[in-house]
Amino acid sequence: MANLKEIRNRISSISSTMQITSAMKMVSAAKLKKAQDAITAMRPYSDKLTELLQGLSASLEGDGGSEYADKRPVNKVLVVAITSNRGLCGGFNSNIIKQSNNLVSNKYPGKQVDFYTIGKKGNDILRKRHTILGDQSRVYDDLTFDNVAEIAELLMRLFTKGDYDKIELVYNKFKNAATQIVMTEQFLPIVGAEGDEAIAADYIFEPSKVEIVKELIPKSLKTQLFKAIRDSFASEHGARMTAMHKATDNAAELRNELKLTYNKARQAAITNEILEIVGGAEALNN
């Protein structure tokens, strides 16, 4: 059994760790509320804009759509992996890394698959096995629509120039603080609606349906990427809050076990001292 001083040091160390994890949990909870409100407010607008764009694109005849809808044989793929800049958030980042590797080995075997990373953790791990076209970890320092729009414009240029035939987003979709859903979402070429989902033809379009689509597509793509990053940002804080909550509970359980061990060891030491005193007194009497 460990000596009393060693057990006291371990209890003190665990108590300090508990203070850190508890503080991190509260910080993440505060940040989560703001991030959750932002993504919740944004989703209806983003979904409706995407629905409108898909319906309009599907209702256009011939090639009246856009260069962003150009479907080519898929030989070169760019995967945008959205992770976080910091760890201590459970399986948040590892799930994205795993899904990204699955795309390379299962969905696009034999194809050229490069990565564009948003988040330091994804960049640090993926660069060991794959080609990283670029990294935008600093976008989290000032997460605004304008900063994300610059990244979207770069991705659109890469597609229209023919550098890549398909671009996919991999990110964590926020469901609640304890649940994040790993999403693989096609960014380019844009996916049109089918059948009844197309916009009905009884609308009057001004200036024209084609011009409206060409105007909406870049805005929709920028909004789609911004929503994905916002989703990931809220998911990160939810995952970290949950991870720190579990860490705090585990530390409390371990501390209680060590306190019990400490009390038993202290009781045994006191009992031994009493027996030594009694034994000494008996020896003097004899």
Side-chain angles (χ1 to χ4, degrees):
M1 182 178 293
N3 59 52
L4 294 177
K5 182 178 180 181
E6 181 181 346
I7 296 176
R8 283 199 304 269
N9 289 338
R10 291 186 63 187
I11 293 174
S12 176
S13 176
I14 292 173
S15 297
S16 299
T17 302
M18 281 183 60
Q19 291 179 346
I20 296 173
T21 55
S22 180
M24 292 181 68
K25 172 190 170 183
M26 290 187 290
V27 170
S28 293
K31 291 183 177 180
L32 172 63
K33 182 64 171 63
K34 183 177 179 181
Q36 182 178 352
D37 290 343
I39 189 59
T40 302
M42 182 181 180
R43 273 180 183 164
Y45 169 78
S46 175
D47 294 342
K48 191 62 180 178
L49 180 60
T50 301
E51 177 188 340
L52 176 64
L53 177 64
Q54 290 178 344
L56 281 171
S57 300
S59 66
L60 292 176
E61 297 179 358
D63 59 352
S66 165
E67 56 187 345
Y68 302 115
D70 183 20
K71 295 182 180 179
R72 306 185 287 261
V74 178
N75 294 313
K76 295 180 292 184
V77 181
L78 181 65
V79 176
V80 182
I82 304 175
T83 58
S84 66
N85 286 342
R86 299 177 179 87
L88 297 177
C89 46
F92 175 83
N93 292 310
S94 60
N95 290 337
I96 298 299
I97 302 302
K98 181 179 179 180
Q99 179 65 13
S100 299
N101 289 326
N102 286 340
L103 287 178
V104 176
S105 58
N106 297 331
K107 190 174 181 179
Y108 301 112
K111 309 291 185 181
Q112 176 187 331
V113 182
D114 297 334
F115 284 86
Y116 194 94
T117 57
I118 299 176
K120 186 175 182 295
K121 290 298 180 179
N123 180 64
D124 292 345
I125 298 175
L126 289 171
R127 69 185 307 114
K128 297 176 181 179
R129 297 181 55 187
H130 308 289
T131 300
I132 303 297
L133 185 68
D135 174 59
Q136 285 290 341
S137 300
R138 291 179 294 178
V139 73
Y140 290 116
D141 297 337
D142 187 17
L143 186 53
T144 62
F145 180 82
D146 291 337
N147 289 337
V148 175
E150 295 178 2
I151 304 174
E153 289 171 357
L154 171 61
L155 298 177
M156 287 186 278
R157 286 197 301 270
L158 291 172
F159 179 78
T160 55
K161 288 192 303 181
D163 292 345
Y164 293 95
D165 304 313
K166 193 174 184 180
I167 299 178
E168 299 225 48
L169 307 178
V170 181
Y171 66 97
N172 282 293
K173 181 179 180 180
F174 178 80
K175 183 176 181 181
N176 54 53
T179 306
Q180 300 82 40
I181 304 171
V182 178
M183 299 290 295
T184 301
E185 191 174 280
Q186 182 169 316
F187 186 68
L188 286 167
I190 60 173
V191 180
E194 298 180 357
D196 296 337
E197 296 181 9
I199 296 293
D202 57 350
Y203 284 94
I204 297 175
F205 297 96
E206 181 65 34
S208 71
K209 190 184 295 186
V210 173
E211 292 183 30
I212 291 174
V213 170
K214 289 183 178 180
E215 180 71 22
L216 278 180
I217 285 178
K219 184 175 183 179
S220 175
L221 290 171
K222 293 173 184 178
T223 303
Q224 181 184 356
L225 181 60
F226 187 53
K227 179 180 73 71
I229 296 177
R230 274 286 187 191
D231 252 319
S232 180
F233 189 63
S235 297
E236 174 192 349
H237 292 302
R240 182 171 293 112
M241 186 185 76
T242 302
M244 292 301 100
H245 175 72
K246 291 180 179 178
T248 303
D249 289 347
N250 292 338
E253 182 179 348
L254 180 58
R255 184 187 61 179
N256 292 336
E257 291 177 358
L258 285 174
K259 283 184 176 180
L260 182 60
T261 302
Y262 175 80
N263 290 334
K264 288 181 178 179
R266 185 167 176 268
Q267 183 180 18
I270 293 173
T271 301
N272 289 334
E273 289 178 2
I274 293 175
L275 290 175
E276 290 175 0
I277 292 173
V278 172
E282 289 293 333
L284 291 175
N285 292 332
N286 294 330

